């Protein structure tokens, strides 16, 4: 059967699958930047995380979380590689997602008609942050336990409907029963992340302007670019896996959880900016609202930007770079606390950037 | 694919180089993908402890004649009996018509070493562990095993001879790895 005939046959029966074949055959404008391959790399990393997570879940026991992970690392054939896949994959998927969001901010890829794709990428960030926190807690290490202890203590203090939801989610005092349900949420959210990536790619494809002038076929021109990007990612991945499998994981998580060993929370690096941002506000509800408002601001960015399609200006670009440095610094001061008002200052700048500077500067530059 | 991407007027040399590069890239990709997936598949094989439990090695050279050794394998009692020459000679002359579940001597003794019988030591009537592993204890009228629950009797080859039980004792999968040891599983 010819490829067109196959595609027609499939599209007539399963619309989604016909769309996959359509992507393979569509023409595109030549010369896309290398960073445009990031969504594909995100999908590949998520596939690796799901596959290695499936193997880990065969041996993982939430009632003896720390001991079962030690058993996987020491007794399961090649178990240390599988754990390394999962840890390195988690680190890299966050690194690439932060990079992708930063690139979209810089090139203003969040504006119409791509605003729905942007919102889906923000949703992916929210889903992955929650999945990452659950994975951090599921380690059964002392650092994760301290975080879970804080969360469930706070949940027990909440009254009314929020308290009921928190209790349903966390299941009272931290222990096997809590980790068992958090494991289910971890898996479900990871599957959701796959769906969000799929949707975001579809939305971004719909928003892409039709190519004018010379057109190159997706296969093999774009496909080979994606393969080369995958090879570069694989190189970075294997260096991290081989030489720094626990990089950025937090030393407190390497000792087992227990009430006699409850140190401060040591976040994995990808949660540090958010933890610093939440920690700048007092009280449990302060933390929760800070996170919700921060994500909501990212969602609302297409409307906070008042440029109405004008070309990006230099001041906005400089401010975006400054925002990137701000988030990095927020993560750094959370990982290595140095006292003072620096975290509060950096958090203030994050909100100031989106609430004041973005509308103001984009309006002035468009005028 | 090479036909469609190569220009119609391209020299054959360039098309050949492109084919070579394509095959090289695909082979490299296949090797890379396989080496990523291999640990994930291999991790689902049993570990060293699980394998040792699933396929235990048992020393049989220390079993005295006319006695049986009992070990537990996968939750089942497995009996390993060493026969005397007299017991083998006696078993050879038993008429098949006398047996509820006829089986030849050669089908009951260990292949490769005719002096050993390896059976699952559970009565085939009411599931009960059999008695008769030492020559001094109770072992029924046929020199073999007896069930303390329903009184079924088995001979030294594990063939049922009387009682409610109707089938011979099952033989587990095993092999001699040398003269002194067998491996189950």
């Amino acid at each position: 059967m010819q490829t067109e005939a196959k595609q027609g046959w499939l599209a007539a029966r399963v619309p989604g699958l016909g769309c996959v074949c359509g992507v393979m055959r569509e023409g595109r404008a030549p010369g896309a930047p290398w960073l445009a391959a990031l969504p594909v790399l995100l999908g590949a990393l998520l596939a690796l995380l799901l596959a290695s997570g499936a193997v880990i879940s065969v041996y993982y026991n939430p009632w003896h979380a720390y001991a079962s992970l030690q058993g996987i690392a020491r007794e399961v054939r090649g178990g240390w590689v599988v754990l390394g896949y999962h840890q390195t994959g988690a680190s890299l998927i966050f690194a690439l997602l932060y990079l992708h969001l930063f690139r979209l901010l810089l090139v203003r890829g969040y504006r119409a008609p791509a605003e729905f794709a942007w919102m889906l990428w923000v949703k992916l960030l929210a889903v992955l942050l929650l999945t990452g926190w659950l994975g951090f807690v599921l380690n059964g290490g002392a650092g994760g336990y301290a975080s879970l202890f804080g969360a469930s203590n706070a949940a027990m203090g909440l009254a009314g409907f929020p308290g009921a939801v928190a209790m349903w989610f966390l299941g009272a005092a931290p222990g096997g029963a809590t980790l068992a349900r958090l494991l289910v949420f971890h898996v479900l959210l990871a599957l959701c992340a796959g769906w969000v990536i799929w949707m975001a790619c579809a939305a971004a494809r719909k928003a892409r302007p039709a190519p004018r002038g010379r057109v190159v076929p997706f296969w093999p021109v774009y496909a080979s670019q994606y393969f080369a990007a995958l090879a570069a990612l694989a190189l970075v991945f294997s260096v991290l896996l081989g030489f720094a499998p626990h990089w950025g994981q937090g030393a407190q998580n390497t000792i087992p959880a227990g009430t006699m060993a409850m140190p401060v929370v040591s976040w994995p690096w990808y949660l540090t900016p958010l933890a610093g941002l939440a920690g700048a506000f007092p009280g449990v509800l302060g933390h929760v609202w800070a996170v919700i408002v921060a994500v909501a601001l990212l969602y609302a960015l297409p409307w906070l930007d008042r440029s109405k399609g004008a070309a990006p200006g230099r001041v906005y670009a400089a401010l975006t770079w400054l925002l990137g440095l701000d988030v990095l610094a927020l993560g750094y001061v959370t990982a290595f606390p140095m006292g003072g008002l620096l975290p509060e200052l950096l958090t203030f700048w994050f909100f100031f950037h989106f609430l004041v500077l973005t509308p103001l500067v984009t309006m002035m530059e468009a005028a | 694919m090479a036909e469609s991407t190569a220009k119609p007027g391209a020299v054959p040399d360039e098309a050949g180089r492109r084919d070579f590069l394509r095959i090289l890239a695909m082979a490299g990709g296949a090797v890379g993908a396989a080496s990523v997936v291999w640990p994930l598949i291999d991790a689902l094989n049993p570990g060293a402890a699980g394998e040792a439990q699933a396929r235990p090695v048992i020393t049989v050279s220390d079993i005295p004649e006319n006695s049986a050794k009992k070990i537990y394998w996968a939750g089942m009692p497995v009996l390993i009996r060493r026969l005397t020459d007299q017991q083998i000679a006696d078993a050879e002359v038993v008429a098949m018509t006398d047996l509820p579940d006829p089986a030849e001597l050669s089908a009951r003794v260990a292949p490769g070493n005719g002096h050993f019988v390896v059976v699952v030591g559970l009565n085939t009537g009411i599931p009960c562990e059999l008695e008769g592993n030492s020559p001094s204890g109770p072992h029924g009228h046929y020199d073999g095993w007896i069930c303390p629950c329903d009184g079924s009797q088995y001979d030294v080859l594990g063939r049922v001879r009387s009682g409610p039980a109707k089938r011979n004792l099952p033989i587990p999968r095993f092999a001699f790895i040398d003269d002194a040891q067998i491996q189950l599983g």
Side-chain angles (χ1 to χ4, degrees), chain B residues 32-122:
Chain B
S35 54
V36 168
V37 169
W38 172 252
L40 297 176
I41 294 172
D42 188 43
L44 293 178
N45 283 319
E51 198 145 4
Q53 210 173 19
R55 299 168 64 85
V57 174
I58 295 134
T59 305
V60 296
S61 53
D62 58 353
I63 301 173
E65 279 197 334
N66 197 24
S67 290
K69 187 184 218 176
K70 177 162 78 174
I71 57 114
Y72 284 93
W73 176 55
M76 288 186 302
V78 171
L79 307 175
I80 306 161
R81 179 186 279 271
R82 189 202 281 268
L83 306 175
T84 62
D85 290 336
Q86 184 61 45
Q87 283 171 329
I88 294 171
D90 288 348
E92 267 177 337
V93 298
V94 173
M96 286 299 126
T97 49
D98 291 347
L99 298 172
D101 185 4
E104 296 280 357
L105 171 81
S106 58
R108 299 297 304 177
V109 296
N113 191 333
H115 280 84
F116 284 96
V117 170
V118 183
V119 290
V120 175
L122 283 175

Side-chain angles (χ1 to χ4, degrees), chain B residues 79 120-123 128-133 145-148 154 169:
Chain B
L79 307 175
V120 175
L122 283 175
N123 183 26
C128 250
E129 280 195 37
L130 299 173
E131 290 177 346
N133 292 332
W145 289 284
I146 183 167
C147 175
Y154 298 85
L169 298 176

Side-chain angles (χ1 to χ4, degrees), chain A residues 48 52 55 59 76-77 85 219, chain B residues 1 36 39-40 42-46:
Chain A
L48 184 69
S52 56
V55 174
Y59 300 103
V76 173
R77 283 161 173 259
Y85 277 179
W219 181 272
Chain B
M1 195 50 69
V36 168
L40 297 176
D42 188 43
L44 293 178
N45 283 319

Side-chain angles (χ1 to χ4, degrees), chain A residues 304-307 352-364:
Chain A
L304 291 172
D305 183 304
R306 311 305 302 168
S307 61
F352 186 65
H353 173 93
F354 285 111
L355 282 173
V356 179
L357 290 178
T358 300
L360 210 63
V361 170
T362 50
M363 208 190 301
M364 281 163 60

Side-chain angles (χ1 to χ4, degrees), chain A residues 41-81:
Chain A
L41 302 187
L42 288 175
L45 280 174
L46 187 71
L48 184 69
L49 282 168
L50 287 173
S52 56
V55 174
I56 291 169
S57 71
V58 171
Y59 300 103
Y60 179 76
N61 179 355
W63 300 89
H64 306 280
Y66 186 85
S68 68
L69 285 176
Q70 291 294 313
I72 293 171
R74 288 154 204 269
E75 280 152 35
V76 173
R77 283 161 173 259
W80 63 274
V81 186

